[in-house]
Amino acid sequence: SEAVVQAVINACDKIADALEPYKGKGTWKDVVAAAVSAGVDMSATGEHSRTQGNFGYHVYVGCCAVAEIDVLTGETEVLSVDVVHDSGKSLNPAVDIGQIEGCIVQALGFCLTEEQVKSKVDGRLVNCGTWDYKIPSGLDIPVRFSVTLPKGDNTSSGNVLSSKACGEPAYCVGGAILFAVKDAIYAARKDRGVTGWFQLDCPASVGAVQKACRSSV
């Protein structure tokens, strides 16, 4: 998104330069009318070079997740997710928060529900529809979900209006949801007298959670 914004800024700069000779013609409407009458092209194309800001910058993100599991069925409910995301000087907080929330839910699906089942015969994907392949639904969204954008800045080379990219960094910290579930499983195993490390792969599906709890129905 910041690359698009920079491209728009570059296009606006071109139009502003084209209007410069007509700045003394009165109001904005008069200036534009004079330029159009003189045959000035009022359209422009802006680009954002991939080498601009090529050295990049750091984005700092923190996430705390709380999950509850049913030790008998393996069902999981994410009670809360709190995210603090460094967006620099956000261009549009509403858009940034939406991006962050979306990436956290996407990570939730990767960590908990989107299990791929492959055929043991030919390796093809068996559950290739949403009846069996479970993407997150409205009921999977954390019960309490908060995103905080602290006041910040971005002075790195090639920054766009002091903003920082958002979305992908939040996907990375979405793994906190898996570890919240694993921590709950540790507690369940401890109640059954089972201690020590165990492996829990993504996605921690209902069956995987139930099996890891060492529960019997």
Side-chain angles (χ1 to χ4, degrees):
S1 58
E2 60 181 354
V4 174
V5 170
Q6 185 60 57
V8 171
I9 292 173
N10 293 343
C12 290
D13 287 342
K14 292 178 182 179
I15 294 176
D17 290 342
L19 291 175
E20 185 67 28
Y22 308 94
K23 287 180 64 175
K25 301 295 183 179
T27 66
W28 167 253
K29 185 177 180 179
D30 295 332
V31 170
V32 173
V36 171
S37 297
V40 175
D41 185 1
M42 296 303 296
S43 65
T45 300
E47 296 180 355
H48 181 263
S49 172
R50 63 179 179 83
T51 60
Q52 188 174 3
N54 196 39
F55 296 104
Y57 49 78
H58 297 291
V59 177
Y60 302 94
V61 190
C63 177
C64 179
V66 178
E68 184 176 67
I69 62 172
D70 186 319
V71 298
L72 296 180
T73 66
E75 292 284 348
T76 298
E77 183 171 32
V78 181
L79 300 179
S80 68
V81 168
D82 296 278
V83 181
V84 179
H85 193 291
D86 168 28
S87 293
K89 189 176 293 182
S90 176
L91 298 176
N92 188 324
V95 171
D96 285 354
I97 290 172
Q99 283 283 97
I100 294 164
E101 289 176 337
C103 279
I104 291 292
V105 173
Q106 185 179 0
L108 183 152
F110 178 80
C111 291
L112 300 183
T113 66
E114 298 182 43
E115 184 177 22
Q116 293 185 340
V117 180
K118 302 281 183 75
S119 169
K120 294 181 180 180
V121 177
D122 56 12
R124 67 183 178 85
L125 185 65
V126 175
N127 61 334
C128 50
T130 53
W131 184 261
D132 298 305
Y133 181 82
K134 303 299 182 182
I135 62 174
S137 70
L139 295 178
D140 296 311
I141 296 173
V143 176
R144 187 179 63 80
F145 201 168
S146 72
V147 176
T148 301
L149 304 180
K151 290 184 178 180
D153 206 345
N154 185 3
T155 58
S156 63
S157 173
N159 79 83
V160 179
L161 300 177
S162 301
S163 67
K164 289 186 178 182
C166 69
E168 284 78 3
Y171 185 89
C172 296
V173 298
I177 295 170
L178 174 71
F179 292 107
V181 171
K182 187 172 184 179
D183 200 43
I185 297 173
Y186 269 121
R189 289 164 68 95
K190 184 178 180 181
D191 288 343
R192 296 186 60 81
V194 181
T195 59
W197 180 88
F198 69 96
Q199 183 165 327
L200 183 67
D201 296 325
C202 284
S205 61
V206 171
V209 172
Q210 195 274 338
K211 183 178 179 180
C213 288
R214 298 287 186 90
S215 300
S216 58
V217 180

